[in-house]
Amino acid sequence: MKKLSFAFFVLLFAVVSFAAEKKNIIFVVADGGGPAAMGLLLQYARYAENSPYADRTSNLEKIFAGSELGIVLNATKETIVTDSAAAGTHMAKGTLTYPEYLGMGADGENAESLLKKAQNLGMATGLITDVYLSDATPSAYTANVNSRRNYEEISAALLNSGADVLLGGGLNYFTSDKDLKDEKYAGIFKKIPYSKELSPALKNGLFEKLITSGYPLVFDKKGLQKAKSDKLLGLFGPSAIQFSVNPAPYAPTLKDMTEKALEILSRNKNGFFLMVEAGALDWMLHDNDQGAALAELLELDETLGLIKDWADKNPDTMVVITADHDTGGFGFQYRKVKGDELELKKEQGYPLYDKKDYSVKSNLDIIAKQTKMQRDMKSEFNALGEKRQTPKAIQQYLIENMGYELPLDFIEDKGDFDDCLKEINKRLGVTWSTGNHTGSPLFVSFYGAGAPKKPGVLHNTEINKIIERFLYDGK
């Protein structure tokens, strides 16, 4: 009996000691952020004349300087190129799967996610995105479906996840047309700043479950800032939160959401697991829109500055930064210049090398001047009506919104707004290989506690295993 009692107390002491070891994990996913796209941020910080960084060093570069860096491959069970669902599942659950599968392994298995494993250890948990919460990356931690479009099951799984903090966009994915027409919800929808923009995605609404879920609900930046509870669910847009290049006044930034999540989750004495996704970046890269992508990168970098400062003050914190895949195949290129453009550049004293334009550093400042998404520019200009769409009007509109003056004779020759946008991209040296995903290898950065030495080349399922090891043994 004495031996049994002694063994029991040894086991109890071990459990209590383990539980008392506080660990924090902040996992940042730059959706679509392949090396060249992230390089746009690094180069802008260093080389742009009007760089907003006094020391010309982005927060991403500062984290890299103190990190263990590796290369990530992200092939699925059968394919070289992945989507966010498969990549998110690889990292959330450590299970190899197929494109479009969400939270489900290739053989249909439903492994526990990092979020669930953290909860089992008594840790607080949170998921943040600046697109919609029911999108692939956040939902990989909570769903188990063979189609990322199964939004009713995906959104229900989020509500049942037990996560302490859920912040992002996506009220469309918790509502149906029936919910919008139901008089008993009219007072709630009236208080939502974007309610007139809603376009419900569900046949059978989850709005009743949402408002009775037990989460305090917030729908704007002011509500987020005022929140004092230990649990919180924020939905700040119908789908994605308004994009960084032209933000909505009511919407919080990725940094705002991360700051509130850290405030709430850090109250837990056992630590926390937090996934932060810069998802809007992927949308801008799909659009091949470098100006809007840079705006998203700068918002991500502000968030990384907050995370780095927090981790430096809390040395029991592991910070992991990576991408799920590359989108767009962005890059800068050199090109031969000829004809009128060659003569004009010579007159301007523009640096050319063997009649080639190698894209000058001042182009970075021009990219940063963009004030709207290029897709919105097209829609807005096309809505003016044919009589007002003169070459001079196109030239002026592009100066105001792209920061670039195309020669009037080029516009008169082309006479098409879309062609003018493409010409600006070309003259800035910007090139894209696709509007889709590529199979490009990615980076991963391990910063702070538990960083593996020289991680080398990893498959993204191995990122899950490294975080899991830190969860269980702190190393």
Side-chain angles (χ1 to χ4, degrees), residues 191-327:
K191 295 177 182 177
I192 298 173
Y194 53 84
S195 60
K196 292 181 180 178
E197 302 166 33
L198 288 170
S199 179
L202 305 184
K203 291 182 179 178
N204 302 304
L206 291 171
F207 196 70
E208 182 70 24
K209 289 184 179 179
L210 176 68
I211 63 177
T212 60
S213 62
Y215 285 99
L217 299 174
V218 291
F219 299 99
D220 59 17
K221 183 175 182 178
K222 189 179 292 185
L224 177 71
Q225 292 170 335
K226 289 183 177 179
K228 302 295 182 185
S229 56
D230 290 336
K231 293 179 78 71
L232 189 64
L233 199 164
L235 293 167
F236 307 109
S239 183
I241 297 174
Q242 185 68 33
F243 300 110
S244 300
V245 72
N246 188 22
Y250 64 78
T253 64
L254 192 65
K255 180 183 177 183
D256 294 332
M257 292 188 287
T258 303
E259 190 168 28
K260 178 57 70 172
L262 291 174
E263 175 192 319
I264 294 172
L265 299 179
S266 61
R267 296 170 190 160
N268 188 303
K269 60 181 174 44
N270 296 321
F272 62 82
F273 171 84
L274 173 64
M275 192 286 299
V276 179
E277 182 201 22
L281 173 63
D282 180 59
W283 294 33
M284 300 304 97
L285 295 170
H286 272 294
D287 277 1
N288 291 175
D289 189 335
Q290 67 276 355
L294 179 57
E296 298 299 341
L297 287 163
L298 290 170
E299 182 173 326
L300 169 61
D301 203 58
E302 284 189 5
T303 308
L304 293 178
L306 168 71
I307 290 170
K308 181 181 184 299
D309 289 346
W310 201 93
D312 289 345
K313 293 172 185 173
N314 295 272
D316 45 10
T317 302
M318 169 188 269
V319 178
V320 182
I321 306 170
T322 192
D324 50 355
H325 53 75
D326 171 73
T327 301

Side-chain angles (χ1 to χ4, degrees), residues 105-136:
D107 298 324
E109 68 269 28
N110 182 18
E112 283 192 332
S113 69
L114 291 170
L115 182 136
K116 185 62 177 176
K117 288 175 180 178
Q119 289 173 343
N120 291 342
L121 297 174
M123 299 167 71
T125 57
L127 300 171
I128 294 175
T129 182
D130 54 8
V131 289
Y132 55 100
L133 278 167
S134 303
D135 202 7

